């Protein structure tokens, strides 16, 4: 989907919420490094360039609508993500 929106986290502290925002040139708060999770097939962690924290599901929630926040890397499944083909 081409919306012009990117994932951003405007802060460097654990608990900072990740949200969508318009892409801004040279904005480190919008840069993420996908990093493979060892021994987890298709698993990725996303490291925030500005803070070096990773994306995590807030409170390790397992329900729809959970917040996504920055957090220290605990090598926990609440911090692992994967991409799957679109189902039509």
């Amino acid at each position: 989907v081409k919306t012009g929106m990117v994932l951003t986290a405007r802060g460097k502290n654990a608990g900072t919420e990740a949200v969508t925002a318009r892409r801004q040139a040279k904005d480190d708060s919008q840069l993420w490094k996908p990093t493979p999770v060892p021994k987890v097939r298709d698993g990725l962690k996303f490291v925030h360039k500005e803070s070096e924290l990773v994306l995590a599901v807030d409170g390790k929630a397992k329900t729809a609508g959970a917040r996504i926040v920055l957090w220290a890397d605990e090598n926990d499944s609440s911090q692992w993500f994967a991409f799957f083909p679109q189902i039509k």
Side-chain angles (χ1 to χ4, degrees):
V1 177
K2 295 182 180 182
T3 63
M5 305 295 267
V6 297
L7 189 62
T8 188
R10 302 235 184 260
K12 297 181 182 180
N13 300 319
T16 298
E17 189 170 22
V19 298
T20 56
R22 293 249 176 246
R23 184 172 176 263
Q24 300 291 320
K26 299 180 181 181
D27 186 348
D28 286 352
S29 72
Q30 298 180 337
L31 298 178
W32 305 88
K33 179 180 178 184
T35 305
V37 177
K39 300 181 183 178
V40 178
R41 185 177 177 195
D42 300 323
L44 294 169
K45 292 187 252 189
F46 289 91
V47 181
H48 187 237
K49 181 175 182 181
E50 192 171 58
S51 68
E52 297 188 10
L53 298 172
V54 299
L55 284 179
V57 177
D58 193 25
K60 301 180 184 182
K62 297 182 189 289
T63 56
R67 289 180 349 123
I68 304 296
V69 296
L70 296 178
W71 206 256
D73 188 352
E74 298 174 344
N75 198 33
D76 183 81
S77 62
S78 67
Q79 300 174 333
W80 304 342
F81 299 87
F83 293 102
F84 297 99
Q86 182 177 359
I87 299 172
K88 292 185 179 189

